[in-house]
Amino acid sequence: MTVDPENPVVRLCVQGMTAEAEGRNEDARALFQRAWDTAADDYEACVAAHYLARHQPTPEGTLHWNQQCLDRADAVGDDRVRGFHASLHLTMFTAYRALGEPDKAREHLALAAARVDDVPEGPYGDGIRSAIAEALRAAGASSGL
């Protein structure tokens, strides 16, 4: 998984994450929108869409941007996004679960679990692996997710 800190879209998203951490959610959303508008390829659009999904007022909006993110990641066609797919399917699982669509949610949870070996080692990977494991445990305990 490659993230270039000098990439203009990545820089905008880092600024957006800083704004999020400071509680400036409107500023964060504006920065993520600028990142989306700046994106010059599928990789950059994937990164921007991931963050835009976090700032949607409705579950439908969240699903839309998560789907954009996944579609763009699928279109990249190289290893730059290989480590992202488990997380992207996990966000799709969460979005479908919020919309009350358990079959689609379970489908994406299974896809997330299938890609967990691609997640890099370290805190990011540990968080993704933990979230997938917890979701699988919850799914096993409840047929409705």
Side-chain angles (χ1 to χ4, degrees), residues 71-112:
D71 291 346
R72 295 304 182 104
D74 288 344
V76 169
D78 62 40
D79 282 345
R80 289 179 293 169
V81 296
R82 182 176 180 194
F84 293 171
H85 276 86
S87 174
L88 301 181
H89 284 292
L90 187 61
T91 61
M92 293 294 289
F93 158 76
T94 302
Y96 277 119
R97 189 175 65 181
L99 288 167
E101 297 191 39
D103 292 339
K104 289 183 180 180
R106 275 192 291 279
E107 176 185 331
H108 282 283
L109 181 56
L111 290 167

Side-chain angles (χ1 to χ4, degrees), residues 19-38:
E20 275 181 340
E22 294 171 352
R24 298 181 294 115
N25 289 332
E26 288 303 316
D27 292 341
R29 188 181 193 303
L31 286 159
F32 298 142
Q33 184 65 55
R34 279 183 46 208
W36 173 260
D37 294 340
T38 301

